[in-house]
Amino acid sequence: MHDPESAPTAFGSGGGFSNVFPRAHFQHRQVAQYLHQLGDAVDPRLFNRTGRAIPDVSANGFPTAAVIDANYTIVGGSSAATPIWAAVVVAINDARLAHG
């Protein structure tokens, strides 16, 4: 099965640019490409083009299967992505602890 990653259209993204923190060095190339592709589609006065791109990490939270009131359903968004990413961090920490 091929399930390409894409941004959802059912709700807006939680991403953006920080007004407090400067862009991290490891973000420069990707953000420059993004801003080039964005062009003038969004007024550059509406966001800080030099700020840190956020989120630094993410998980694809749509579609996510859930059980609500004993019924299977499809949900999505940050409420689904956050526990997915938390599980990844727990697995990393567990592996690191196992190796001392």
Side-chain angles (χ1 to χ4, degrees):
M1 180 173 139
H2 180 67
D3 186 13
E5 182 177 345
S6 62
T9 57
F11 48 85
S13 168
F17 295 91
S18 175
N19 287 327
V20 177
F21 300 103
R23 181 163 314 127
H25 67 88
F26 60 84
Q27 294 181 334
H28 285 305
R29 185 171 48 113
Q30 290 83 2
V31 171
Q33 289 174 353
Y34 170 78
L35 292 174
H36 177 74
Q37 289 175 350
L38 183 64
D40 294 329
V42 176
D43 186 339
R45 296 173 295 179
L46 297 178
F47 65 97
N48 180 8
R49 296 175 72 93
T50 63
R52 183 182 190 101
I54 51 176
D56 284 331
V57 297
S58 63
N60 186 353
F62 187 80
T64 301
V67 178
I68 300 174
D69 293 329
N71 296 305
Y72 287 96
T73 188
I74 299 295
V75 298
S78 58
S79 297
T82 300
I84 291 170
W85 180 247
V88 171
V89 173
V90 167
I92 292 168
N93 285 340
D94 187 50
R96 292 188 63 183
L97 284 170
H99 286 91

